Structure formats: structure tokens, C-alpha cells
Amino acid sequence: MIRFQARFVLALVALALSPSLPAFGAAPLIDDEEAAAEEEEKEPKDRYLVVLGADIHTGNGEVLRDGRLLAKNGKIVAIGYDDFEVPGLDYDREVPADERGYELEILDASNVPNGRVYPGMVAFSSSGLLGGGGDYRDSIDMFNRNMLLGLAAGITTTGQTSSTAKLKRYVPGNFSRDYDFDGVVIGGKTLSTVSWGTAASKRSAREKLAGAAAYLRTYRQWQVDVKKDKELKEPSKSGVDSTMLAVLRGEIFARFSADYQDDLSGIARVAMEFGFRPVITGCREGWVVADELGRAGAMAVLTPRTRRSKDEQLVAEGGSSIENAAILHSHGVQVAIIPGSRGIDLGGIAGRDIMHLPIEVGFAIRGGLPDDAGLASVTTVPARLLGVGHRVGTLEVGKDCDLIVTDGDLLHYQTFVQYTVVDGDLVYDKQDELYFAHIRPRDDSLLAPLVPFDPAEVPIEEEGDDEGEDSEEGDDEDE
Amino acid sequence: MRDTMKKIGSLLVAVAIATTGASASEVVPATPGEPGAEGGLAILTKKALCVPLEGPQVVNNAVVLIRDGKIEAVGPKSKTEIPAGYAVFDAGENWVMPGMVDLHCHVAGTFDLNDMVYLTNPGIRASTAVVPEYGALKRGVAGGVTSVLFIPGSGTNVGGQGVLVKTALPTYEEMEIKNPGSMKLAQAGNPERFMFGVGRSFMNYNTRNTFRRGVAYAKRWEAYERGEGERPEKDIQFEVFRSLMADEIRVSTHTQIYQVVNMTIRMIAKEMGVPVFIDHGTFDGWRAGDIAYEAGVNAILGPRNIDVPTASFINWSGSNPERIQGVAAGYQQMGHKMIGFNTDSPVIPQEELQLQAGIGMRYGFDDTNLEAVRGLTIIPATTARIHKRVGSLEPGKDADVLIITGHPADPRSSVETVFIEGQKVYDPAVQRRRW
């Protein structure tokens, strides 16, 4: 792609440009070579990415048919049909790349049949995609095969034990700058596990919540009283559970791991009583008590293909249901979906691991989940749970330019990711990697099947603005 | 006798429809007093995936007529009259297709059928372990699987005889399609654990030994039945070879990796002349796709569905260093045309048979002529020699019919109703949805 097919693509962008977008007015214009050289030493050049030639699914419900997206330094700065202005780009002459005061890459996806642009997917959790452990700024393996396969699957962000990280791959030649270690981790711990397995743990959680709630009441009263009496001491936090305090203050999510309906009902009750939104992983029998969970504002992380028979000793409904995600969603529970296997499984049985996340969503759709909720379950909802919803999960101006270009509906079982972009850098191109290049190769690929040459069927070429060698031959237009 | 009469009756109806252009008055009415005399069932659908082995695969705006547990006719609405007295079931936008057939199932009963008595046990029968309405199988029904080959495990070179059963009928007798339904052969990659461990050379020696004796046994009986020679003594270890040599059933072979798949083709199909099919066929087994097809050895593939880069996994297949190769796509690219899918349930849950076709397609299997649908239905039915009863929507076959919301390879396509032999065995509109 990017590979900047200089003339053609530049001409195309140039045509699209108009001097109307004020946002770029402030960007530095570099006039002469000396200044450019100086500028280079001081700070890296601005980096632009234009994505065009495909339908843009923003993840908010909007679809821009054959829309365009512009990113600057890894952030989305414009989406739409408007012409984009890239400052400093001289439309009247072809400026060689090394003379430009900025980097420009153009991802022209018109070579992808049924091309669609989606936000990069967010895996609520995964294992082994980043290669390292602990602090990924120090330990990320940017050459990791599983990271490549994760990007090939369309995942650009993943939750880890206590942080949220990006699949930032190192692609030699693409970068004229250092690898951005600091950009790897984009979020800290947002979920705190509350034990809810036994009667004792439930009682303990409730007591801690009650203690925290009582403290907050005292604290709020103190906030009022201290205005009259400046000497009044802040109430002591001694004995107050700091995690539950953070939960009630909305600073962190309380995460419960629960599957049975009585456990789930209990979580809903305690959440409503103390006023917080619980995050429930598992949630197998959520469909039985979906109305309670919906009222409590619960959010669920589930695997649609979970299987468990109903407990025959119980009269009440129970067990797993393929309709779980759909029923929870219809009751207002936000649903994030993860597959049964969180890693990349190369054992030969495909369709059940993180590499097949959209197929897992497909099973929720089988159970009745609407398509848009299916997309949200692997983009906006996990992003929200991981506390990075302001940066990733949708394609919006101001957010990170993490996107994928697919060859069809993301949730269709045959769809492949053709390109993956993280922070405005193309980090995966299906035709450039070994793994999937041979499957339905793109026409622009060396692997594409040869079309037998039939002189009678050669179309008469219509030349564009760029001068081609045979431009005189294509002149059958009326004048 | 009554069954025969019924069969003749429905055949007559089918013939009448086929030859007369089917106006209602010309349809042979049911004999009063017979079961189902009040009429049959007409299913209306946007699309009937009929998938016969030969001929047109799809009828749009179709009517499927079912009577006495059999398919009576399939045709376009405009040309197919619904006989008077038939109940009409309008499937709306949904599609209709034959029930799916899985030739590698271990969940039609308890798993106590992997007895490792000898290294080859052709006399052991899976039929004795069948449990009607077994839980895991019930979910399989909800996934559209109506016929399975329930087989012994691969702990020995010959694990025993499989049995072909319908998945959702209340007794073993009603379930049984064919017993024995197959003979299970495992050539490598599991029988090694027998006793103190055996290697490929001894396993192949012992398998050859068993097959030679079995084939000889069957030939002695053939000769006797032709009136040549004395009546041989009955040997329950080798009885199954008589069914095999008559091509009533086939050897289902746990075989994978190019070298071992080659051994299946060479030893069983060519050297022994015993009808056989590839079951698994995975890793780089697809490289033998051309010679398998040439030798008439069908490929029923799964539960593995991709051949992965071996460098960092297991190196024993020795191929494919770098790409993720679809197994089914590989066989197809080698020119094989009789490719089906299996689950090895519970390795892949029984109800996910359709995903096996979906993954096949994802990784390059071409479905232009409904190859994926055929691989779930008529190909396995033909492979197991039950194609006269199941595997396609054709007059005279068992009315094992699915109502499905779309292409069966799509995991999003939900099976809405399942009929087995004309009986509605799964209907989430009136019972709890299972899948």
C-alpha cells in the first residue's frame, strides 16, 4: 500500500485538497531545505495518514460510504467526505518525499473488494499477544509472532492483568523514528476483583461496601461543615476499605466473577443498594436474571459458546443459553465478548481463540444479538471497561488512529483483515505477511491468480491526470 | 410388510408428481386407515438446498412435501401442487436443507467404547454403548445434526465397529440406521499408547495381518454364497469384513499427516481392496488429496481444520513452514471432490459441525457449487453408504429436514426447526432453545 505510488496517489490527494480546514492552519510550513534540516534535528516530522477507498464504519453506528479519514501523528483529525488539507503539500508540483516537511502515507483501500474500515478491536483480555509480562513498556516483544497474528485478527488493543496495552508492532522501514515504548501502555488498572464465591465472601464484600458508604456520608457532611468550621478535621479513613471506596467514588469498577443466577441476583441487589455499576465476568445464567442486571446497570463480559446444562435439581431456569448475550443486551446490560481461549491457538483447531474473536461474536448474533451490539462487544464496551474509551473503540476525531480495513462485514466468518493501523502506522498488510496471504489474495498481490491474456478483452485505458506513456492511445472520448 | 407398502406408496406419489406435472387430482391419495392418511406436511421456503449427489443443487421458492417420514417431492411452488389435507408450514425467509451428517461422533452414548483388548479389535461394537437422547447429542440436534457415525476411539489400530444412528429418536431400535456402520481403523498418532508402546512398523504389520485375515474370511463366505466351497465357520471377530467387502460400510480411518494418509490409500484401498475413507486427514494430509481422490478415498476432515506453521509447534509433519493452510481447502486445491467435515465430538462440540464448514471456507475452501453444504450432508452420507436414506432432499429419502436462517457454514445461521423422519424433534418455538 502506502508505498506511496507517488504520482497517482498524490494527484488524487491533490485533487481532494482545498484550503478550507482551519485545523491545519497552525501546522508548521517548512520552506527551505536548511530549515527543514534544522527542524528534523529538533523534533520528528509530522506524520499524516490518509485512508480512502472504502466504507468507513465508525463504530458509532455511522457508515460513510467511500469516506475518508485523515490522521496526524497517530490521532484522527478528520473523517468525512470533505477534502483534506495536508499543510505544506504543494499541489502545483511534485515535491519529492525527502523535501517534504512531513511524512505522508496514503492507505488506498480501493484494491480491497467490499473494503470496509472499522475501529481496531479491543480484546477485554488476552494472553501472549505482547510477548512480555509485567510492565509492557519494558517487556513488549514488538517482533512477536502472536502480536502479528493478533493484528491480523484485527485486534489493536488488549486488556492485561493490570493495564491496557496496544499491539504496537515494529515494522522495519516504515518508521523514520524510534519505537514508541511509552505508547504501548495506554491505561492502568480499572477493575478490582471482588470475591463473591462463598457466603463469607459475600458478607465481607457487603460489610466493606457498607463501611465505605458510611465513610462517604460522613465525608460529605464534613465537606459541608468544614466551610463553617475550618478547624474541623477530615474524617479518618481508618478501617475503610480503600478499594470499595474507589468503587463507590466511581474511580474503579468492581469486577465480579459469577455464573449462577442467585450469585448474579445478589450482585445486582448490592450494586443497586450501594449505587455502583458492577462488571460481571462469566455471567452464564445472566439471561435468567437479565432484568435485575439491567436495572443495576451491570456490564457483562461473556463467552457466547459457554456450555452448561441446567441444574435438574432446580425448578428455576438455568444453565447456559446461546441467547445470553442477546437477552442481556435487550435488558440494557452492556456486553463485551471474549472467546473461550484467550491466546493464539496454533494447535490446528481454528475458530475458538482470540484470533477468531468475530466468530465468537457470530455465535452471540446467532442467539439474537443485534449486529451493532456485536461490534460494540469487541470495541466500545471493552474499551469502556478498560478505561480507554476516550482513546480507542471508535473512529472519531481526537481518538487514536487504530483501525482495520476488512474485505467485508467484520462479523462475517470469511472476512479477513487486509490492513491494520495502530497509532497511524500501518503495522499489518495481509499480502505482505506469510500467514494468510495465499487465501483469496488481493488483485494487487504477487499471489493473485494470473488472468489469461485475451487481447479482445483489454479495456481501453482512460488516463488520469498523471502523464502516462500511452496517454495518446486512450483518447476515444468525445471532444 | 406395512413399511414396504408405505415405501411403495410414497414412491408412487413421487413418480406421479414427477411424471404428470403434479396437479392435485393426479396425486395418489393415501389409503384410508394407514398412519398419516390424514395427509402429510408441506414446507414452503425461499430456498431449498437439496444437494443431491448429481443434478441441480438448489430450488428457489420451493415446496418440500413430507409424508410417512419420507420426502415425497421437492419442487418450485409454481410447479408443485400441495395435495389436499396436507398441513402447510411456511418457513418464511428461512432456508430448508437436509439434516447434517457427522461421521466422527463419540457422544451418541457414554464413552465406554475405547476398549483396548488387542491391538486390533474388529469385533467390538459401538452399538452397545448408544444412549438414546444423550445430553451432548441433544444439543447436536439443535445444531442440525440428524445422523451420526458413533465410533470407538483410536486407542488401538482397530477400535471396533461404528454404528450409524439418527440423533433424536427415543429408542436404539428407532435410532439405528445401520449396524455395523463402519470399522474404525487408527493408523498412527494414538495407538502407540497400547500396552507398553508400539511403533509404526509393528502397527502396520499387525493391521495388515488383521485385514488379510478379514478379507480372506469375507471371500470364503462370498464363495460359499456363490455355491462354491463349504460353509465357513462364523467368526465374530471378522464378520464385519463381509459388510466391508460388499461396500455396505467402509473403514473410517483415523489418519493424518501426508505419510500416514498415503499409507491409508496404499494399504487399505489399493493393497487390501477394502473401501475406506479418510477421517481427520489433517496436518499436511491434504498433500495426498489428489491420490486419495484418484483411489476413490473420500476425505472427511476435522476436528483440526488448519495446518499451521510447524516450526514452533510440532515438527513431525515436516511441512508448511510458514502459512496457515486450510485443511479442506488443501484437499480441494489438490483436486479432491468428495470432501466432508467432522467434529470428533466432543473434541468439537457436536452442535458446531456447521462451523467446521465455516472455518473450511474461511481458510479458502470454495463453496461456489455448495461444496460446503454438501460436505455437511450428501458427501458424508455417500461416504458412509447411507445416501439412499439421508444426505439430500430427494423423493423417497428420510424426511430429515432442517429449517435454517441462512447458509449453514455461517455460525450466525440458526437452526430453527429439525425434523427427523418427518417428526418434529426440535422446535425452539415450543421448547427451550438448546443452541
Side-chain angles (χ1 to χ4, degrees):
Chain A
M1 87 146 216
I2 289 179
R3 335 268 133 83
F4 214 79
Q5 306 155 358
R7 257 182 225 162
F8 169 71
V9 169
L10 260 184
L12 203 138
V13 169
L15 281 175
L17 297 172
S18 76
S20 61
L21 282 184
F24 302 109
L29 297 173
I30 296 156
D31 292 319
D32 58 67
E33 281 178 36
E34 268 186 46
E38 249 174 55
E39 195 69 28
E40 247 174 43
E41 280 167 30
K42 281 178 198 157
E43 54 190 76
K45 290 175 177 176
D46 281 333
R47 201 160 42 87
Y48 290 95
L49 173 74
V50 178
V51 182
L52 47 83
D55 297 346
I56 298 179
H57 293 241
T58 62
N60 278 326
E62 297 97 349
V63 180
L64 288 80
R65 302 278 170 222
D66 200 13
R68 287 174 185 182
L69 181 147
L70 175 67
K72 180 186 177 187
N73 296 332
K75 299 280 182 190
I76 298 169
V77 291
I79 307 177
Y81 297 105
D82 295 339
D83 302 332
F84 296 144
E85 183 188 11
V86 177
L89 183 64
D90 188 339
Y91 313 122
D92 298 328
R93 67 187 181 100
E94 195 180 307
V95 183
D98 56 352
E99 288 177 22
R100 263 183 247 128
Y102 54 87
E103 292 173 31
L104 172 65
E105 293 190 302
I106 295 177
L107 175 48
D108 181 358
S110 55
N111 57 353
V112 178
N114 306 315
R116 294 183 180 199
V117 180
Y118 287 97
M121 286 190 281
V122 181
F124 174 76
S125 71
S126 68
S127 73
L129 296 186
L130 301 171
D135 188 338
Y136 288 98
R137 278 169 294 215
D138 298 337
S139 64
I140 189 166
D141 173 4
M142 64 282 238
F143 307 103
N144 190 299
R145 181 197 60 188
N146 284 0
M147 182 188 295
L148 170 62
L149 290 170
L151 291 167
I155 297 165
T156 53
T157 300
T158 175
Q160 295 291 324
T161 314
S162 56
S163 65
T164 300
K166 282 206 184 181
L167 278 65
K168 279 176 81 76
R169 186 175 174 227
Y170 180 77
V171 181
N174 245 8
F175 303 159
S176 58
R177 58 191 188 284
D178 293 338
Y179 182 84
D180 175 22
F181 286 98
D182 289 332
V184 170
V185 175
I186 62 166
K189 185 174 173 170
T190 58
L191 297 133
S192 185
T193 302
V194 177
S195 178
W196 196 254
T198 62
S201 63
K202 288 175 191 172
R203 191 163 55 242
S204 160
R206 173 174 283 281
E207 279 166 5
K208 285 177 188 165
L209 280 164
Y215 169 80
L216 281 177
R217 277 194 298 277
T218 319
Y219 180 79
R220 283 188 205 112
Q221 189 57 49
W222 169 79
Q223 279 181 309
V224 175
D225 296 344
V226 77
K227 286 175 187 157
K228 295 174 203 154
D229 180 2
K230 303 266 190 245
E231 301 293 302
L232 213 56
K233 274 174 99 183
E234 188 178 330
S236 163
K237 281 184 198 163
S238 164
V240 180
D241 186 86
S242 58
T243 304
M244 291 306 192
L245 201 55
V247 166
L248 294 187
R249 281 180 159 158
E251 295 160 359
I252 198 165
F253 288 117
R255 168 191 173 146
F256 298 82
S257 178
D259 282 313
Y260 292 103
Q261 53 185 292
D262 46 353
D263 291 342
L264 297 172
S265 293
I267 293 166
R269 281 196 299 274
V270 83
M272 289 214 282
E273 184 181 340
F274 293 101
F276 65 93
R277 299 190 71 174
V279 174
I280 304 170
T281 54
C283 207
R284 191 174 59 227
E285 292 184 351
W287 60 283
V288 184
V289 293
D291 50 347
E292 294 172 49
L293 295 175
R295 272 200 300 280
M299 298 186 269
V301 182
L302 56 84
T303 302
R305 271 185 282 181
T306 301
R307 289 175 182 80
R308 177 67 74 97
S309 295
K310 174 184 182 311
D311 184 344
E312 294 300 336
Q313 292 182 324
L314 293 180
V315 177
E317 271 292 7
S320 58
S321 169
I322 193 76
E323 296 172 295
N324 195 18
I327 293 173
L328 285 167
H329 171 75
S330 70
H331 285 84
V333 177
Q334 294 182 21
V335 174
I337 287 176
I338 47 169
S341 161
R342 310 288 162 79
I344 300 285
D345 180 356
L346 289 181
I349 295 180
R352 333 186 70 76
D353 62 349
I354 199 89
M355 207 163 47
H356 297 84
L357 188 53
I359 283 181
E360 197 65 50
V361 177
F363 280 92
I365 293 173
R366 178 192 186 94
L369 188 71
D371 279 17
D372 57 346
L375 181 60
S377 74
V378 287
T379 53
T380 50
V381 178
R384 200 168 293 143
L385 296 177
L386 296 169
V388 292
H390 60 299
R391 289 193 53 183
V392 300
T394 58
L395 301 178
E396 291 176 274
V397 171
K399 281 194 170 186
D400 295 6
C401 183
D402 294 355
L403 57 84
I404 54 180
V405 180
T406 65
D407 51 12
D409 179 357
L410 176 62
L411 303 178
H412 189 278
Y413 61 105
Q414 274 187 296
T415 297
F416 268 99
V417 171
Q418 300 284 338
Y419 304 109
T420 306
V421 171
V422 172
D423 290 334
D425 289 316
L426 182 80
V427 288
Y428 172 76
D429 177 345
K430 174 169 169 276
Q431 293 313 130
D432 279 358
E433 307 293 342
L434 298 165
Y435 297 97
F436 307 112
H438 62 291
I439 301 169
R440 296 182 286 279
R442 286 200 310 267
D443 286 346
D444 60 325
S445 156
L446 292 173
L447 294 170
L450 291 173
V451 181
F453 178 72
D454 180 357
E457 293 210 342
V458 174
I460 296 161
E461 284 188 277
E462 289 183 15
E463 292 299 328
D465 288 1
D466 55 334
E467 71 281 14
E469 283 164 12
D470 353 290
S471 53
E472 296 100 352
E473 292 172 28
D475 57 351
D476 61 338
E477 307 136 78
D478 297 329
E479 306 224 352
Chain B
M1 184 62 192
R2 206 177 64 181
D3 278 1
T4 320
M5 292 293 289
K6 271 201 291 187
K7 266 178 208 160
I8 292 168
S10 49
L11 272 178
L12 280 175
V13 173
V15 168
I17 288 169
T19 52
T20 60
S23 69
S25 58
E26 284 158 340
V27 169
V28 178
T31 317
E34 266 202 9
E38 69 279 10
L41 175 68
I43 303 173
L44 309 181
T45 175
K46 276 269 183 245
K47 195 182 278 289
L49 307 176
C50 303
V51 292
L53 198 57
E54 309 281 344
Q57 300 289 299
V58 180
V59 180
N60 287 331
N61 293 315
V63 180
V64 180
L65 296 180
I66 294 174
R67 191 185 171 90
D68 297 331
K70 299 281 175 188
I71 293 164
E72 197 174 62
V74 185
K77 273 179 211 164
S78 54
K79 291 182 184 165
T80 313
E81 198 83 24
I82 299 171
Y86 274 49
V88 175
F89 179 76
D90 190 345
E93 294 292 311
N94 293 340
W95 298 2
V96 169
M97 65 173 285
M100 298 180 214
V101 181
D102 187 355
L103 297 188
H104 197 136
C105 163
H106 297 300
V107 298
T110 53
F111 199 70
D112 47 357
L113 42 51
N114 198 18
D115 290 296
M116 295 182 264
V117 186
Y118 307 111
L119 190 52
T120 46
N121 310 278
I124 288 179
R125 297 183 299 171
S127 54
T128 57
V130 172
V131 180
E133 299 185 336
Y134 198 62
L137 201 57
K138 283 176 87 167
R139 213 178 272 130
V141 175
V145 180
T146 55
S147 300
V148 294
L149 177 60
F150 178 49
I151 53 174
S154 49
T156 62
N157 287 127
V158 174
Q161 304 164 15
V163 57
L164 287 153
V165 293
K166 293 285 173 74
T167 49
L169 297 172
T171 65
Y172 171 78
E173 287 71 21
E174 289 164 280
M175 290 171 78
E176 183 190 287
I177 306 170
K178 198 183 264 187
N179 184 31
S182 74
M183 190 175 83
K184 168 82 179 260
L185 168 67
Q187 287 192 296
N190 267 356
E192 289 85 346
R193 66 180 76 149
F194 181 75
M195 298 283 278
F196 311 106
V198 287
R200 278 193 205 166
S201 43
F202 180 69
M203 290 194 290
N204 284 336
Y205 159 79
N206 190 53
T207 302
R208 271 201 175 82
N209 183 14
T210 305
F211 270 72
R212 285 223 178 94
R213 288 156 67 195
V215 170
Y217 175 82
K219 286 191 170 155
R220 281 200 297 280
W221 272 94
E222 274 172 34
Y224 166 69
E225 278 160 359
R226 282 197 308 268
E228 301 161 16
E230 283 182 29
R231 183 190 163 90
E233 204 170 312
K234 205 157 193 167
D235 185 340
I236 56 164
Q237 280 294 331
F238 292 119
E239 271 294 291
V240 65
F241 279 90
R242 294 175 63 189
S243 305
L244 285 170
M245 293 309 285
D247 200 18
E248 291 164 0
I249 64 168
R250 287 178 173 175
V251 177
S252 84
T253 312
H254 168 107
T255 180
Q256 46 195 350
I257 311 167
Y258 179 61
Q259 181 226 345
V260 183
V261 172
N262 266 303
M263 184 56 90
T264 307
I265 298 161
R266 195 179 70 193
M267 188 204 286
I268 310 301
K270 293 185 174 167
E271 193 181 316
M272 300 292 169
V274 177
V276 59
F277 64 91
I278 295 164
D279 186 21
H280 295 320
T282 41
F283 298 100
D284 62 338
W286 57 271
R287 290 164 61 211
D290 49 350
I291 54 170
Y293 185 63
E294 200 185 323
V297 177
N298 294 359
I300 307 297
L301 309 171
R304 285 191 174 85
N305 36 35
I306 53 171
D307 181 23
V308 298
T310 49
S312 57
F313 178 49
I314 26 179
N315 252 327
W316 40 281
S317 79
S319 81
N320 186 22
E322 42 205 38
R323 67 182 188 185
I324 292 184
Q325 167 70 42
V327 171
Y331 279 87
Q332 197 176 44
Q333 282 148 19
M334 296 300 283
H336 207 303
K337 291 183 174 60
M338 294 294 280
I339 299 166
F341 303 94
N342 74 33
T343 60
D344 199 350
S345 57
V347 175
I348 299 280
Q350 188 63 70
E351 59 274 21
E352 289 188 30
L353 178 60
Q354 60 182 110
L355 179 63
Q356 293 291 82
I359 293 292
M361 282 171 66
R362 174 173 179 78
Y363 288 97
F365 187 70
D366 179 31
D367 183 53
T368 308
N369 299 307
L370 293 182
E371 286 87 348
V373 186
R374 291 162 61 83
L376 295 167
T377 53
I378 190 65
I379 303 291
T382 307
T383 303
R385 317 314 288 161
I386 49 173
H387 52 294
K388 291 194 173 129
R389 280 191 61 185
V390 302
S392 61
L393 301 179
E394 288 177 274
K397 285 200 178 183
D398 291 3
D400 298 354
V401 178
L402 311 179
I403 315 277
I404 187 165
T405 58
H407 195 293
D410 191 336
R412 300 172 299 181
S413 297
S414 155
V415 176
E416 294 293 307
T417 314
V418 180
F419 295 91
I420 291 187
E421 298 181 10
Q423 301 174 45
K424 200 186 270 185
V425 294
Y426 174 64
D427 182 359
V430 295
Q431 63 196 121
R432 182 176 160 189
R433 184 164 167 179
R434 290 185 218 141
W435 185 240

